[in-house]
Amino acid sequence: MASTGRAAALEPERADSVAHFLISLREARAAGRNGSALEQRLRTLFSAVRGYRLEHAPQPVPKRREIDPEATASFLQALRPAVAADRSQGRLMNVWGVAGLKRDEVRTSAVLEWILDCSGSHGFGSAVLEEVLALLGPANPELSELDLRQGYVTRREHCVFADQTNRVDITAVLPTTILFIEVKIGAPEGRKQLTRYRELAQKMAAALGKERSFVLYLTTGRVSDEQDIISFTWRDVAKAIRRAVEKREKRGAIAGEVLLQFAGHIEQLR
């Protein structure tokens, strides 16, 4: 037998005991219930031994990486002309950093509304909003069904029904849908704020004869536990912008570069 043969290859004083163990184990397994219990106990024992070995195994010492000063200096010297050329052509600038957006919610929200506006002067139409909805679509199939080709209207700091107590950061009125986007950078939402917005979006949809409404919650990572609120992050928006620019082959164009700079700015928000 293969198992007995392997045991015979061991030292003579151990061969008999190992072979006896393997034969006993085979007979116990064939015995049915008792064999199953024994097998289970052995598995538990072997698992514990394996866990102990893994826990107490010596950890490999990370190999120290040596830095070659001459090679590093040579690389930096070769890189210097390219950096100088990019700087002279303005490729290293970020207009949003110069504008001082930083973490200002109101100003950042205003830029985002411009980018999402299908009539915006950036020339990308509804491309970015399409990509945002595509990113959220797998978990929210109804968003994937929204058709933006007929156009829509966006507003920022929108006081729905002239109610100053409920000012929605970004509102998009689509042919069949009302879309609210609540923007946060670090700050939490107000008490029952998202619930009020959900109800307000439903009322607005009913008043305008729209079929449905959605409330999107844009933050640096916080997820809303409110029912029917769709959460996403600034990194998602940055990804949507990059996809829109790549798909429309406008990288290098002024508008494309400005949008990519905004993507670089917002994906750093924490």
Side-chain angles (χ1 to χ4, degrees):
M1 293 182 295
S3 298
T4 307
R6 286 195 296 269
L10 301 174
E11 296 87 337
E13 61 270 20
R14 297 176 56 196
D16 290 341
S17 60
V18 172
H20 177 72
F21 169 78
L22 294 174
I23 292 172
S24 299
L25 175 62
R26 185 174 68 252
E27 291 175 350
R29 294 180 64 181
R33 177 184 294 177
N34 294 335
S36 299
L38 175 61
E39 183 180 357
Q40 182 61 42
R41 289 197 296 271
L42 288 172
R43 285 181 179 175
T44 302
L45 173 62
F46 293 153
S47 177
V49 171
R50 180 175 180 274
Y52 178 85
R53 286 182 174 179
L54 291 176
E55 183 178 352
H56 294 82
Q59 298 299 318
V61 179
K63 185 178 180 180
R64 183 176 180 180
R65 179 176 295 179
E66 299 292 340
I67 298 178
D68 186 340
E70 293 185 1
T72 303
S74 177
F75 170 75
L76 294 177
Q77 185 67 27
L79 187 64
R80 186 171 299 169
V83 173
D86 282 349
R87 180 177 289 111
S88 66
Q89 296 176 22
R91 293 176 182 171
L92 301 183
M93 73 174 182
N94 187 310
V95 296
W96 308 111
V98 176
L101 284 187
K102 297 183 180 179
R103 296 172 57 82
D104 189 298
E105 283 185 8
V106 175
R107 298 176 67 188
T108 305
S109 178
V111 177
L112 178 61
E113 186 271 333
W114 168 71
I115 292 175
L116 297 179
D117 184 1
C118 62
S119 301
S121 56
H122 46 71
F124 277 80
S126 61
V128 176
L129 183 55
E130 289 174 11
E131 295 298 336
V132 168
L133 298 180
L135 283 172
L136 299 177
N140 307 277
E142 287 186 320
L143 288 180
S144 302
E145 301 171 2
L146 298 182
D147 186 359
L148 306 181
R149 291 174 297 179
Q150 299 181 45
Y152 54 90
V153 176
T154 60
R155 302 174 186 171
R156 61 184 175 90
E157 294 291 305
H158 181 210
C159 297
V160 184
F161 301 131
D163 183 357
Q164 296 291 330
T165 62
N166 290 307
R167 185 173 299 182
V168 182
D169 291 324
I170 300 175
T171 300
V173 181
L174 284 65
T176 61
T177 307
I178 297 296
L179 197 64
F180 283 2
I181 302 178
E182 174 61 15
V183 174
K184 295 293 184 185
I185 302 178
E189 70 275 13
R191 175 175 165 77
K192 299 291 185 180
Q193 182 181 14
L194 296 177
T195 299
R196 294 198 310 272
Y197 283 3
R198 185 185 69 241
E199 296 172 352
L200 195 60
Q202 293 171 349
K203 291 179 181 179
M204 183 175 177
L208 296 179
K210 307 297 182 181
E211 298 174 1
R212 50 195 170 183
S213 61
F214 299 96
V215 177
L216 308 185
Y217 185 45
L218 173 58
T219 72
T220 53
R222 178 183 173 84
V223 176
S224 171
D225 55 4
E226 295 281 349
Q227 185 179 6
D228 298 329
I229 303 299
I230 301 172
S231 300
F232 66 123
T233 69
W234 287 101
R235 288 190 175 186
D236 292 328
V237 177
K239 184 183 295 185
I241 291 173
R242 296 186 189 282
R243 287 184 179 181
V245 174
E246 291 291 344
K247 286 183 178 180
R248 282 141 188 84
E249 300 179 350
K250 291 190 176 184
R251 177 179 287 276
I254 294 177
E257 289 302 313
V258 169
L259 264 62
L260 289 176
Q261 289 176 16
F262 185 71
H265 171 73
I266 61 176
E267 66 187 357
Q268 300 301 317
L269 296 174
R270 296 290 186 274

